């Protein structure tokens, strides 16, 4: 990313028109992309689902939900988790192809590492859907379904912007970003940074550790490899120990997701921060159960909820459309260039959840039961 993301996105628009021959954009509403060959009988069609890791709650939900939807539709399925190890994911996908999978749904670990195995898959006519994370630097990804990743970051940035409106300076601020090998992470960061960098530049926010990236392009400087809570915790501990001396307190922490927010909250707690008015604003994403409990306990301010059931239903629809041999529904043919091509995408809207909206958003919708969250 050489410039701000929206500029890049705008620049890609004409490319999308040339490459895809489709003229759809989100504004133009839902449309369909690319015919995919003859019809497949679900009962004879194996769908391979490759998920990154079981260590994060969301991927367990994603995998189980999608597998059960496809099974209900009569498809054969195989669901594999790769423990965040790229080589394991490659060999799992290879095995799926060897077993005769006709459609692959892949939430990649390293979005740039799959070209060789997907080239083999393509030679056997296998169709590939990138799930949640784009697969980069390959021609052999057919569709992408995800939440609007840039908007996730915008929602986090705007949340912080609203909260600081009533705060007095200095407002001490720390920024984190996601895993450098995850294509989504730069979109999350860009969405937030387009809101927050101007506030850093005009002195509204003080980057006490001096680690704030000077531009969107430099986001990997604050990236946490593998999205682990442990690495986020130790980075936050380091910053608190080195820069927050003599009673100085951090007021705002931009965390791109819940696994990082969990580690950051632990570091804060270890440094003596207690829930209450002086607890820092801390953002997140995913509405993982532990984080929703933290939100209710005042140890995290918000999360950006991505209803994995909605993503599952969208991907289920794509799988059925591919199997039927017709067109596949997408609503964005501009934003996601994987380095080789613009991948036809279906984007879903994410939603902010705070303490006040946990019940309405997460319980009333059945994502959690009241008992799950200790609310009954
Ligand atoms: C997903 C996030 C998730 C993160 C860590 C990203 O690609 O979009 O929802 O928090 O990976 O697993």
């Amino acid at each position: 990313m050489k410039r701000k993301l929206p500029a890049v996105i705008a620049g890609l628009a004409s490319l999308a028109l040339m490459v895809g021959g489709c003229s759809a954009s989100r504004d133009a509403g839902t449309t369909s992309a690319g015919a995919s060959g003859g019809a497949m009988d679900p009962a004879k069609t194996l769908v391979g689902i490759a998920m990154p890791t079981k260590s994060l709650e969301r991927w367990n939900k994603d995998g189980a939900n999608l597998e059960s939807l496809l099974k209900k539709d009569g498809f054969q399925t195989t669901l594999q988790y790769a423990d965040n190890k790229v080589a394991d994911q490659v060999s799992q996908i290879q095995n799926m192809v060897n077993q005769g999978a006709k459609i692959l749904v892949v939430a990649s670990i390293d979005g740039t590492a799959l070209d060789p195995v997907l080239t083999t898959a393509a030679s056997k006519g296998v169709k590939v859907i990138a799930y949640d994370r784009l697969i980069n630097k390959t021609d052999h990804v057919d569709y992408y379904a995800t939440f609007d990743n840039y908007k996730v970051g915008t929602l986090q940035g705007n949340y912080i912007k609203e909260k600081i409106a009533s705060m007095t300076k200095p407002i001490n601020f720390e920024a984190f970003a996601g895993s450098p090998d995850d294509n989504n992470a730069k979109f999350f960061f860009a969405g937030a940074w387009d809101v927050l960098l101007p506030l850093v530049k005009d002195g509204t926010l003080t980057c006490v550790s001096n680690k704030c990236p000077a531009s969107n392009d430099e986001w990997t400087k604050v990236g946490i490899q593998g999205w682990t809570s442990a690495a986020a915790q130790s980075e936050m501990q380091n910053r608190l120990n080195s820069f927050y001396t003599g009673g100085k307190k951090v007021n705002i922490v931009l965390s791109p997701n819940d696994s990082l927010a969990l580690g950051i909250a632990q570091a804060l707690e270890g440094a003596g921060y207690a829930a209450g008015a002086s607890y820092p604003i801390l953002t997140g994403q995913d509405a993982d159960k532990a984080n929703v409990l933290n939100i209710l306990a005042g140890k995290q301010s918000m999360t950006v909820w991505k209803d994995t059931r909605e993503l599952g239903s969208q991907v289920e629809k794509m799988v059925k459309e591919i199997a039927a041999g017709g067109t596949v529904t997408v609503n964005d043919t501009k934003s996601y260039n994987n380095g080789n091509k613009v991948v036809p995408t279906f984007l879903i809207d994410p939603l902010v959840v705070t303490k006040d909206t946990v019940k309405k958003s997460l319980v009333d919708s059945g994502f959690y039961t009241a008992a799950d969250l200790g609310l009954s």
Side-chain angles (χ1 to χ4, degrees), residues 56 58-59 132-133 182 184 188 227 257 285-286 306:
L56 234 76
R58 76 151 289 188
W59 301 116
D132 194 85
R133 298 171 171 174
D182 178 350
N184 287 351
F188 300 146
W227 295 98
N257 88 334
Q285 165 186 195
D286 289 336
K306 306 193 300 189

Side-chain angles (χ1 to χ4, degrees), residues 81-152:
Y81 288 84
D83 197 20
N84 265 342
K85 296 191 177 99
V86 177
D88 287 8
Q89 186 165 62
V90 169
S91 71
Q92 286 172 349
I93 294 172
Q94 185 62 58
N95 285 340
M96 291 170 183
V97 174
N98 294 346
Q99 285 165 33
K102 287 284 169 270
I103 300 170
L104 294 174
V105 179
V106 181
S108 58
I109 297 163
D110 178 344
T112 61
L114 300 180
D115 182 54
V117 71
L118 295 185
T119 302
T120 311
S123 72
K124 301 190 176 188
V126 177
K127 292 287 170 191
V128 178
I129 301 169
Y131 183 100
D132 194 85
R133 298 171 171 174
L134 186 58
I135 303 171
N136 281 317
K137 301 208 170 93
T138 181
D139 291 335
H140 306 301
V141 51
D142 299 286
Y143 303 102
Y144 180 33
T146 192
F147 291 86
D148 187 335
N149 296 307
Y150 182 85
K151 187 168 176 193
V152 169

